[in-house]
Amino acid sequence: MGHNRRGSTTEALAPRSGLRIYSPAMLNSLELLAKVREYLLRHPEEVLRVIKNAAQLRFGVPLEALRWAAGKARGKRAPKDVQIEAVPPGVRVGATIDLMGTVVRASCIVYIEDVRLSEQELRFEIRLTDVSLRLMGDFDTPVATLIKSGALDLSKPGNLVAFMPKRPKFLVEARDDRVVIDLMKHPALANQKVERIVSWITPFITLGAIRTDWEHLDFELKPFQNGVAKAFEHLRREL
């Protein structure tokens, strides 16, 4: 009897046995769909909310979904025990992180003050308030010494971020209680494919604001940010 050397025994038997083989990506998608179905069964009112938001050019992400996604983060440096709760119009975020060899419990309230989306930038101005850092052990590191001494001015976290070693390129500005990031400078997004997609979308619609209510993170959209005529001029030029 011949043997198929190209596939494993399991792969060869799968069609006959009825065994389904899923890739990791498929498993992640199935898990996500199962979570969405479970959430909608517990919150049937979400369907009506989606319809109302669509009429107002707005869409919301349940904070429960963000908590679930944060809990799926893996890796040695991934934040642990992430907490996300609404403080309208902002959101309080807390997590246990490794800060330059020092494990701390960090938390702050995040406000999105300004959003600029275009072919050249995906820019978000973020204001951070109520910042706290708490040591999660007895560490003998420069960071631990600063926290214990109270020398860190946590009311102006932007100034601390500005002096970060090896600051990422997408973190374009940091001062006082504000941090500005431009995701177009992130390595994962800095490519022609993403730029082309953005160039198609932004003439017709852009993101106006990001706010929370007590259960959702809402994204408010604005149509034709450069005017209807310019949007269709862009479409005609591209076609």
Side-chain angles (χ1 to χ4, degrees):
M1 182 181 292
H3 180 69
N4 183 359
R5 294 178 181 276
R6 293 184 180 181
S8 67
T9 304
T10 303
E11 290 172 333
L13 292 176
R16 296 182 182 179
S17 64
L19 177 66
R20 295 183 180 180
I21 301 176
Y22 296 105
S23 68
M26 290 175 65
L27 288 173
N28 289 339
S29 298
L30 290 172
E31 183 182 7
L32 177 59
L33 289 173
K35 287 294 181 182
V36 170
R37 179 177 179 275
E38 177 188 325
Y39 181 81
L40 291 177
L41 287 174
R42 288 188 287 109
H43 300 278
E45 71 280 0
E46 283 293 319
V47 177
L48 181 59
R49 188 180 195 276
V50 169
I51 296 172
K52 288 182 177 179
N53 280 348
Q56 300 172 2
L57 288 177
R58 183 171 62 189
F59 70 93
V61 177
L63 294 182
E64 185 174 330
L66 297 181
R67 297 184 192 106
W68 175 78
K72 301 297 290 183
R74 296 291 182 268
K76 187 176 179 180
R77 294 187 175 277
K80 304 293 191 301
D81 303 321
V82 178
Q83 293 182 332
I84 301 173
E85 60 182 27
V87 186
V91 59
R92 185 188 299 276
V93 179
T96 301
I97 60 174
D98 186 329
L99 186 61
M100 292 184 282
T102 308
V103 180
V104 301
R105 183 67 186 176
S107 70
C108 68
I109 300 176
V110 179
Y111 298 94
I112 309 296
E113 296 285 297
D114 185 43
V115 181
R116 298 184 196 172
L117 304 187
S118 70
E119 298 177 38
Q120 292 77 36
E121 61 180 0
L122 298 176
R123 185 180 184 277
F124 299 85
E125 182 176 325
I126 302 168
R127 182 163 60 90
L128 306 173
T129 66
D130 199 21
V131 179
S132 69
L133 292 175
R134 178 165 54 88
L135 290 171
M136 301 297 288
D138 187 15
F139 295 92
D140 185 16
T141 63
V143 171
T145 301
L146 287 171
I147 294 175
K148 291 175 183 177
S149 67
L152 292 176
D153 185 1
L154 298 180
S155 67
K156 297 180 179 180
N159 294 344
L160 301 177
V161 173
F163 288 100
M164 281 176 54
K166 298 180 181 179
R167 197 172 80 183
K169 290 184 178 180
F170 63 85
L171 206 165
V172 296
E173 185 180 333
R175 186 176 62 183
D176 296 336
D177 63 347
R178 295 174 188 272
V179 172
V180 178
I181 61 174
D182 182 357
L183 295 182
M184 286 295 279
K185 298 183 183 297
H186 194 288
L189 299 178
N191 60 71
Q192 291 184 346
K193 184 177 180 180
V194 172
E195 290 176 4
R196 184 166 179 80
I197 293 172
V198 173
S199 72
W200 270 91
I201 294 174
T202 52
F204 296 92
I205 199 163
T206 190
L207 188 59
I210 304 175
R211 299 186 177 92
T212 61
D213 63 14
W214 290 109
E215 296 295 335
H216 302 82
L217 183 64
D218 286 326
F219 297 81
E220 299 178 7
L221 306 177
K222 295 193 302 185
F224 303 113
Q225 63 166 333
N226 295 320
V228 177
K230 288 189 176 180
F232 282 98
E233 179 185 344
H234 172 85
L235 179 61
R236 187 171 59 253
R237 186 173 63 249
E238 289 292 325
L239 295 177

